[in-house]
Amino acid sequence: MSAITPDQQNVLLDKILVERRSHRQFKPEFPPEEDIKGIIHAGLHAPFAAAAMGETENYFREFFLLKKGSKSLRAAASLIFEEVMATASNLERAMERDPELRTYARGFANRLAMIKKMGQVPGVGTAPYFIVVAERKGFPPI
């Protein structure tokens, strides 16, 4: 049993979440397999995962591990870029119709335009592994 109270645990979790940062410059080394398994295990405990998981042979939440340089990751990177471009087009059309949305979404639209100009989504395919978490059904379906 932990000596840390639930309230203290919540404070620690809040601190971790607030201090979270995204990094797009990755070391070329591949992490040890046990680290990857630890990340996937943590994903099983993410919000809704406990309710979403079925039997171990039929998990509700699926994890796909794509290795840098693999055919699978190249295909995924292309699909992700296409989806970002579709989102950018849909957002632009919606912003033309809705001046209020234009005010709130301009920064995001600019980032999408930058991605379009780059021709790729930053970070996708540059880390040693890319982990995709997908849910086949549920609320919301992801």
Side-chain angles (χ1 to χ4, degrees):
M1 179 78 67
S2 174
I4 299 175
T5 68
D7 285 341
Q8 290 170 321
Q9 289 175 340
N10 286 338
V11 169
L12 290 172
L13 179 60
D14 289 345
K15 183 178 180 355
I16 290 168
L17 294 174
V18 166
E19 293 178 0
R20 182 203 65 81
R21 300 288 178 262
S22 294
H23 298 277
R24 300 286 188 245
Q25 295 183 6
F26 305 104
K27 295 179 181 179
E29 303 90 42
F30 287 85
E33 185 176 325
E34 61 270 8
D35 289 353
I36 298 299
K37 287 180 179 179
I39 291 167
I40 291 171
H41 181 74
L44 289 172
H45 297 284
F48 301 103
M53 290 179 359
E55 298 299 318
T56 55
E57 54 287 332
N58 186 25
Y59 279 126
F60 182 92
R61 186 169 282 173
E62 297 286 336
F63 294 82
F64 300 91
L65 183 65
L66 308 175
K67 190 172 184 178
K68 181 178 181 178
S70 70
K71 183 178 177 181
S72 298
L73 184 53
R74 285 190 297 276
S78 176
L79 291 171
I80 292 167
F81 182 76
E82 288 174 22
E83 187 63 28
V84 169
M85 292 304 92
T87 299
S89 295
N90 292 338
L91 180 59
E92 284 296 326
R93 284 193 300 276
M95 288 170 53
E96 288 172 6
R97 294 187 306 268
D98 185 346
E100 187 174 354
L101 177 62
R102 191 171 31 251
T103 300
Y104 291 109
R106 179 52 47 201
F108 183 59
N110 288 341
R111 285 192 297 277
L112 293 176
M114 181 184 67
I115 290 170
K116 182 177 183 178
K117 186 176 182 179
M118 291 171 55
Q120 64 182 15
V121 178
V124 176
T126 57
Y129 290 105
F130 191 70
I131 301 174
V132 178
V133 182
E135 294 183 357
R136 289 179 279 150
K137 56 185 174 179
F139 185 82
I142 306 289

